[in-house]
Each structure stands twice: as structure tokens, then as C-alpha cells.
Amino acid sequence: MSFKHLALLALSPLALGSISVIDPSDYADLSADAKDNTILADYTTDNGGPMYLSADIAGRYSYSDTDVEYDHTTLSVNANDTSVLVITEGSTANLSYVTIVKEGYTTWLNQASFFGVNAAVNVANASTASIDHTNITVHNGAANVFAYGTGTTVYVSDTDLYSSGPVSHGLYAAGNATIHASSVRAYSGGNRCSSFSGDTPAGYIHVSDSIAHTAGIGSAIFYALGEVYGTNVVGVAKQAPVLFSDGAQEAYFENVDLTAGLLAGTVMFSSAERQTGAVLSFTNSRLTTSTEDMPALWFGNVIAQASLVATELNTSSGVLLVANSSQVTQAFDHFAGVEENSSIKPAQVTVSVAESDLVGDIVAYNGSSIVWNLTEHSSWTGSAYTAGTGSASFTVSLDDTSVWTLTSDVTVDDFTNGDTKNKNIRSKGHSIHYSKSAAGNAWLKSRTISLPGGGKLKPRA
Ligand SMILES: *[C@@H]1O[C@H](CO)[C@@H](O)[C@H](O)[C@H]1NC(C)=O
Ligand SMILES: *[C@@H]1O[C@H](CO)[C@@H](O)[C@H](O)[C@H]1NC(C)=O
Ligand SMILES: *[C@@H]1O[C@H](CO)[C@@H](O)[C@H](O)[C@H]1NC(C)=O
Ligand SMILES: *[C@@H]1O[C@H](CO)[C@@H](O)[C@H](O)[C@H]1NC(C)=O
Ligand SMILES: *[C@@H]1O[C@H](CO)[C@@H](O)[C@H](O)[C@H]1NC(C)=O
Ligand SMILES: *[C@@H]1O[C@H](CO)[C@@H](O)[C@H](O)[C@H]1NC(C)=O
Ligand SMILES: *[C@@H]1O[C@H](CO)[C@@H](O)[C@H](O)[C@H]1NC(C)=O
Ligand SMILES: *[C@@H]1O[C@H](CO)[C@@H](O)[C@H](O)[C@H]1NC(C)=O
Ligand SMILES: *[C@@H]1O[C@H](CO)[C@@H](O)[C@H](O)[C@H]1NC(C)=O
Ligand SMILES: *[C@@H]1O[C@H](CO)[C@@H](O)[C@H](O)[C@H]1NC(C)=O
């Protein structure tokens, strides 16, 4: 299953076209792992287990305060809750041309998530590992590479990551650890197996020149808990957004071509109290959503800032952005709001668009707000509207190099335009209704103004 019809922006900004991209699902025996991939991660029952580490992390090959090197060899284990390699307490490891095979189940999912129990390679507690030209295969559910603890840094290059089973993230960092990866090809077949993922309290993931493909629900390309950086990454998440971000996390993408298959292109939320300070940035990139009910960008129960520079949002829904009084549940398969949890709050989103041509609507639900700022030769063809119940607010601004083509009448709170004569509006007969009382509208002096194309800019109560 190679990804067809994808432009590999990594090659050159001009290399738009149809090419095939190979990932480990193209050579692995997927049917042999079909059963593995039906195992659902269930944190809500006893499988979650304690949030603290209940026993030392077990590994077939364990190194503490030691320098270790492996090359041109195969290392494997078949045992529950047991890593192949544990590199810890200030160790340094170099793995080159190694084949690593990990089988065996995870008993406590929380311990796998927060500490890397059962990961194929666990690098912890101020250790450093350099992994190149290596093949890491996991069955039954386990991270390929887990990095944990302040001062832990893992470098991965020219490496393939394959996994089956639940909670099998490719590169997974928690406890302030950092992973730098380049030329990685990752595939996961299970649920809740994001390719490049952080976990509490924070993980820092930098990925460049890489390919990622996920098949399962809840398996995004990036999962931000901490910071994620993707440069020259091509990815397809068949049943997930390309990004989940939980809380005040930061996600930066440049030259990426990412396709999402469920919920939305990106999903930024807070699983606990609403957090302020989530950041999302796309530069020279393309984000595609593959079904008709998916917006490109989705925000709920969070206060966030987004930036789109020279970026294409390709949706079949015609919805560029949703800000909702909602969040994604831990099943990662639907959005749920107050009907499931009375503490969920609306989203407040500020989006800055530059050098981008966008077609589609921005939609706010039930108390949410969207600030939508078009700058530097951007164009927007679309509308802003409120959906669901309750009111919502929109602030739209354009600089004098940007163009807005209306597709229906819109109601906004603040409206500011760098072109004070509004020549950069293509109204197509539609009108913009602005709030008389909003501070940003003082320049309009409560006037009704004709717009190019027959529509009007007019005050509302
Ligand atoms: C890392 O340090 C913590 C705290 O001392 C300890 O509980 C844990 O077992 C260590 N992890 C590894 C893999 O050695
Ligand atoms: C690992 O590789 C680095 C850089 O090539 C080298 O400096 C270091 O000595 C190696 N460590 C071991 C344990 O082989
Ligand atoms: C390993 O875990 C699996 C799945 O939970 C279980 O069926 C099996 O009995 C466990 N094996 C051992 C040796 O505990
Ligand atoms: C992560 O960093 C925080 C803040 O510096 C620190 O309190 C915490 O102990 C660190 N956690 C680990 C596992 O190193
Ligand atoms: C991993 O193994 C597969 C199957 O043998 C091979 O096609 C691929 O090139 C290997 N990847 C690396 C990085 O060695
Ligand atoms: C309900 O939402 C609040 C705030 O978002 C969160 O802290 C709490 O854990 C949620 N409860 C459940 C059962 O999900
Ligand atoms: C948009 O995505 C669809 C698939 O959903 C694809 O067929 C189409 O070529 C894409 N268009 C552009 C301009 O990328
Ligand atoms: C908006 O939130 C409501 C309430 O949670 C939910 O039912 C609906 O599916 C959400 N829609 C979108 C597009 O986010
Ligand atoms: C909208 O939000 C209000 C207050 O936050 C809440 O009471 C109401 O149930 C929400 N409605 C929907 C459909 O989410
Ligand atoms: C829009 O963005 C420009 C450039 O970043 C900034 O100067 C301006 O203040 C923004 N306008 C609004 C209304 O946020």
C-alpha cells in the first residue's frame, strides 16, 4: 500500500505531481498482524494500571551508566513487559545496522505511556542513543523507541519503524526527553499508535525527511504533548487526524504533505481543564482531509494560535476551520461536548494567514470565537458562520494585499481592512454585517458601504 497521488514536497517545491512513497507496510506481512491490530487500547479498565512506575523497567539487554555499541546484528525478545534494549542512567548507546524485533504484551498501559515499559528500545534518565540504518519491528503493542527523562536525547536516522498492536507509537518521548529523527519510515497498524508522539509531562520530537503511515483509530502522524516539529514529512493517517494536540502544546510544520482520514486534519483540544497557549504552524505545506465531514483545522476546549504560511488546505467538506465547545474523547473516534462532560468550554482561536490561497468556510459553535487575519497576498473564498446552538464571534481582518471573495452573507464582530476602500472584497452580491459596537469597527462609523460586486458592508444592532 504505497501512497499514491502525493506530492513529495521534500524533493523540491516544484515537484508537484504523482509519485509513490514506500513505507514499511509495503514489505511487512500485514495479514499476519491483522489480529494484533484488532486489540483495543483500554485505559479505563484495569489495563490502565498505576500512573507511577511499579517496577524497574525490564529489558533483555539492559545498560546502566555504561557505553554500548551494536552493529550488524539482530536483537530480539518475546516476553510481556520487557524491552529488547534498556539504555539508562547516563548511558551512551550507538546502534548501527541493527535489526530489533520485539514481541510480547503490555500489562499496564499507563506505564507503557509514561515510562516506556515494554518499548522495543527504552532510553532513559539522561542517556543518549544514536540509532542508524536500523529496522525496529514490534508486535503485540509497544513503542518502537521510547525516550524518557530530562537530559535524554535520541538520534534516529535511516531507520524503519514497524508496529502492530495497540499503543505502538513509532518515536515516543516523555518526561522532558528529546528525539531527533531524519530519514525515518514509520508504519503502525494498531489503534492509538501515533508515529511521532510526546507524553506527559512533555516530550520534544523533531522529525525531518521522513514518511509516516498509520492505519488505526487514534493513530495520528504527530501527537503533541510538549513540542513537535516536522520538516519534509509525508504522512497519511487513515483513521485519524494528522495531529492531536492535548493542552498548551506546540506543533510546527514546514514542507509537509499530510493527509488525515478521521475527525479533522488537525485536532487541538484539552483533555483536562481548558488550556491556553496551544500553537500550530504550517509553512509551505499541504494538509488534506479525505472525507466530506472533516474540517482541515479543529479546535475545542482550548485557546490556541495558528499560523498558515504558503499553505494549502484541501478539504472535501469545504470547511477550513471549526472552533467548537467540544473535545475529542479518549476513544478518539468522535467529538463530545457538554452532553458527555459539563466542564467542556468553547474554543478561542486566532489564525494568521499569509501567502496562502484558501477556499472554504470558518465555523464557530456555541460560544467559540475565531480571529481570522489574512495578510501578505493571501486570498480567501468562503464564509464565516455559526453552527449548533448559542452565539459565536468572528473577527476578520485583511491587509491591502489580500482578497476576500464572499460565498454568502456573513455576520462578523470586528472587521478591519488594510484597503480602506474595500476594493479587495469580491462580494458577489453578498453582504458583510458588522457590529456597530465593536471597537475595531470605529473606522466604519456605523456607515453602510457598497462593496465591489453588489453587496454591502453594513452595521447590525
Ligand atoms: C529512571 O529514573 C526513575 C527515577 O529515579 C526510576 O524510577 C526509573 O526506574 C528509571 N528508569 C530506568 C529505565 O532506569
Ligand atoms: C558513539 O558514536 C559517537 C560518535 O560517532 C562516538 O563519539 C562515541 O564514542 C560512540 N560511543 C560508543 C559507546 O561506541
Ligand atoms: C502475556 O500477555 C498476554 C496478553 O495479556 C497474556 O495472554 C499472556 O498470558 C501473558 N504471558 C505471560 C507469560 O504472562
Ligand atoms: C521534567 O521537567 C520538570 C521541570 O523542569 C521537572 O520538574 C521534572 O522532574 C522533569 N521530569 C523528568 C522525568 O525528568
Ligand atoms: C528493513 O527491512 C526491510 C525488509 O527486509 C527492508 O526492505 C528495509 O530496507 C529495511 N530497512 C532498513 C532501514 O534497513
Ligand atoms: C470532564 O472535563 C473536565 C474539563 O475538561 C476534565 O477535567 C474531566 O476529566 C472530564 N471528565 C471526564 C469524565 O472525562
Ligand atoms: C485534494 O485532495 C483530493 C483527495 O481528497 C485529491 O484527489 C486532489 O487531487 C487534491 N487536490 C489538490 C489540489 O491537491
Ligand atoms: C461540535 O460539538 C458538538 C458538541 O460536542 C458535537 O456534537 C459536534 O459533533 C461537533 N461538531 C464539530 C464539527 O466539531
Ligand atoms: C453550549 O454551551 C452552553 C454553556 O457553555 C451549554 O450549557 C450548552 O449545553 C451548550 N450546547 C451544546 C449543544 O453544546
Ligand atoms: C494581522 O496580522 C498582521 C501581521 O502579522 C498584524 O500586524 C495585525 O495586527 C493582525 N491584525 C489583527 C486584527 O490581528
Side-chain angles (χ1 to χ4, degrees):
M1 258 211 308
S2 43
F3 312 154
K4 301 289 191 318
H5 314 298
L6 274 176
L8 186 52
L9 299 177
L11 290 179
S12 131
L14 297 176
L16 292 166
S18 196
I19 60 159
S20 291
V21 176
I22 304 296
D23 70 77
S25 71
D26 294 300
Y27 60 73
D29 182 356
L30 295 183
S31 58
D33 287 325
K35 192 157 168 260
D36 229 13
N37 289 329
T38 63
I39 303 170
L40 288 179
D42 184 1
Y43 287 76
T44 61
T45 62
D46 288 348
N47 292 102
M51 304 285 274
Y52 56 87
L53 190 56
S54 58
D56 283 349
I57 288 177
R60 177 153 181 202
Y61 306 97
S62 261
Y63 301 92
S64 186
D65 192 16
T66 303
D67 290 345
V68 51
E69 192 168 353
Y70 282 102
D71 66 275
H72 297 91
T73 189
T74 296
L75 306 173
S76 65
V77 75
N78 183 352
N80 292 355
D81 302 315
T82 306
S83 293
V84 178
L85 275 160
V86 177
I87 316 289
T88 189
E89 310 304 340
S91 294
T92 302
N94 292 346
L95 311 179
S96 204
Y97 294 93
V98 180
T99 298
I100 295 170
V101 181
K102 158 75 194 133
E103 291 165 278
Y105 298 84
T106 298
T107 305
W108 306 121
L109 292 174
N110 285 325
Q111 300 197 10
S113 294
F114 302 134
F115 306 102
V117 171
N118 204 43
V121 179
N122 187 323
V123 185
N125 297 345
S127 297
T128 303
S130 300
I131 302 170
D132 66 80
H133 300 93
T134 285
N135 235 309
I136 307 178
T137 297
V138 157
H139 301 284
N140 315 136
N144 290 96
V145 175
F146 190 91
Y148 175 83
T150 303
T152 292
T153 309
V154 178
Y155 303 90
V156 184
S157 60
D158 301 295
T159 285
D160 282 5
L161 309 170
Y162 172 86
S163 72
S164 63
V167 201
S168 296
H169 303 282
L171 303 176
Y172 199 8
N176 316 321
T178 302
I179 299 178
H180 294 272
S182 66
S183 301
V184 163
R185 302 189 298 186
Y187 174 81
S188 66
N191 68 105
R192 299 179 73 156
C193 304
S194 297
S195 310
F196 312 119
S197 184
D199 217 323
T200 306
Y204 301 85
I205 314 257
H206 303 252
V207 181
S208 61
D209 305 308
S210 292
I211 293 160
H213 179 187
T214 64
I217 289 175
S219 302
I221 303 302
F222 289 89
Y223 198 116
L225 240 162
E227 296 171 15
V228 297
Y229 299 81
T231 306
N232 300 337
V233 176
V234 174
V236 175
K238 287 284 184 200
Q239 295 191 81
V242 304
L243 170 75
F244 282 117
S245 169
D246 180 356
Q249 318 305 340
E250 299 181 18
Y252 300 93
F253 302 114
E254 194 165 349
N255 288 340
V256 300
D257 189 343
L258 302 174
T259 302
L262 193 70
L263 299 175
T266 61
V267 170
M268 296 190 106
F269 67 107
S270 310
S271 60
E273 290 301 312
R274 182 174 71 179
Q275 303 273 303
T276 301
V279 176
L280 174 65
S281 165
F282 281 98
T283 301
N284 279 327
S285 291
R286 174 160 55 183
L287 174 63
T288 302
T289 58
S290 52
T291 68
E292 287 184 3
D293 56 351
M294 295 170 67
L297 312 175
W298 188 96
F299 301 85
N301 199 37
V302 73
I303 298 177
Q305 272 188 28
S307 153
L308 304 173
V309 179
T311 284
E312 190 184 317
L313 302 179
N314 179 3
T315 70
S316 41
S317 64
V319 179
L320 298 172
L321 186 151
V322 165
N324 202 344
S325 182
S326 183
Q327 74 167 209
V328 67
T329 70
Q330 293 293 296
F332 293 107
D333 61 355
H334 70 289
F335 294 121
V338 286
E339 72 282 4
E340 288 193 31
N341 184 332
S342 61
S343 312
I344 302 303
K345 294 198 174 85
Q348 295 175 10
V349 189
T350 299
V351 187
S352 162
V353 178
E355 298 168 43
S356 302
D357 297 312
L358 300 176
V359 179
D361 298 331
I362 59 174
V363 187
Y365 286 71
N366 200 17
S368 296
S369 67
I370 299 173
V371 177
W372 184 248
N373 188 358
L374 299 168
T375 67
E376 295 179 53
H377 304 276
S378 291
S379 72
W380 174 36
T381 301
S383 174
Y385 64 88
T386 302
T389 55
S391 61
S393 106
F394 297 92
T395 296
V396 174
S397 73
L398 289 88
D399 72 3
D400 63 359
T401 68
S402 298
V403 173
W404 180 10
T405 302
L406 300 180
T407 54
S408 69
D409 284 6
V410 294
T411 298
V412 299
D413 292 81
D414 274 291
F415 175 71
T416 48
N417 195 345
D419 177 347
T420 50
K421 295 195 156 45
N422 298 302
K423 289 199 173 110
N424 55 353
I425 308 281
R426 312 272 177 268
S427 76
K428 308 247 174 209
H430 304 298
S431 291
I432 303 170
H433 302 263
Y434 67 89
S435 162
K436 262 197 268 196
S437 54
N441 295 337
W443 68 290
L444 294 168
K445 302 191 177 105
S446 299
R447 287 169 303 166
T448 294
I449 298 166
S450 293
L451 294 170
K456 295 206 161 31
L457 180 57
K458 53 183 171 193
R460 61 184 166 91

